[in-house]
Amino acid sequence: MIDGPFLVLVVVGSLGAGLVAGVFCGFSAFVMRGLAALPPAQGVAAMNAINVAALRPAFMAVFMGSAVLSAMIAVVTFVVWPDEGKVELLLGSALYLVGAFGLTAVANVPRNDRLARLTPGAPEAAVYWPVYVREWTFWNHVRTAASAAASLVYIVALV
C-alpha cells in the first residue's frame, strides 16, 4: 500500500498529469479547429501569441512541475519498490515524461519555433499554416492521450 508522503506525491503527480491532459485536450478539441478556420495570417499570428502566453508561470508550473513529479515518482518507486503498484507508477512516469514532456520538446516546440520565424501575412506562412495545424494537432493528440493515461495509471497504482 502506498501511503504517507509517497501517496501525496502520486496524488499530486496524477492531478498534474490530468491538468496537462485537459489543456492539451482543449487544444485538440476546439482551439486548433478554431484557429484553422481563420485566414492563415490571423491563425499564424494567434498561434504565435498563444505560444508566447503558454510560457508564463501558470502553465509552465503545472507542465514542468508534472515532469519533475513524474521523475520523482519514478526515482522513489525504484528506491522504495512498493509491493503493489510499482509497474503502474513506472508506466505513469514514462507516459508523462516521454509522451507529454518529451513529445513537446521534439514534436511541438520545433513546429512552434518554425511558425514564430514566419511573418504572418507572408506567402510561406500561408503555405506552412495548414501543414503546421495538421502536424502540431496530431502530436498534440498523442500528448493528450499520454498525459491522460499517465494520470489514470497513477490512480490505478493507488487502488
Side-chain angles (χ1 to χ4, degrees):
M1 176 94 182
I2 298 169
D3 60 359
F6 193 27
L7 172 66
V8 173
L9 181 67
V10 175
V11 168
V12 175
S14 177
L15 178 61
L19 286 170
V20 170
V23 170
F24 290 162
C25 181
F27 268 83
S28 285
F30 53 85
V31 173
M32 292 307 291
R33 289 174 192 242
L35 293 175
L38 295 172
Q42 292 176 1
V44 169
M47 190 65 187
N48 282 335
I50 289 168
N51 288 334
V52 169
L55 298 176
R56 298 230 162 80
F59 175 69
M60 293 308 291
V62 175
F63 179 66
M64 299 289 285
S66 295
V68 170
L69 289 169
S70 292
M72 289 173 63
I73 290 167
V75 169
V76 171
T77 299
F78 278 117
V79 172
V80 173
W81 205 251
D83 293 333
E84 297 178 18
K86 62 183 158 271
V87 171
E88 292 86 354
L89 294 169
L90 295 173
L91 178 59
S93 294
L95 282 165
Y96 190 83
L97 290 169
V98 174
F101 189 78
L103 272 181
T104 298
V106 301
N108 294 83
V109 169
R111 285 169 176 79
N112 292 344
D113 291 345
R114 180 174 175 194
L115 191 70
R117 289 190 299 269
L118 299 175
T119 302
E124 60 196 10
V127 170
Y128 181 60
W129 178 241
V131 174
Y132 172 88
V133 169
R134 184 181 64 253
E135 292 176 351
W136 191 97
T137 303
F138 171 79
W139 289 113
N140 194 64
H141 291 337
V142 177
R143 297 187 310 168
T144 301
S147 300
S151 180
L152 177 63
V153 173
Y154 283 150
I155 292 168
V156 168
L158 298 175
V159 294

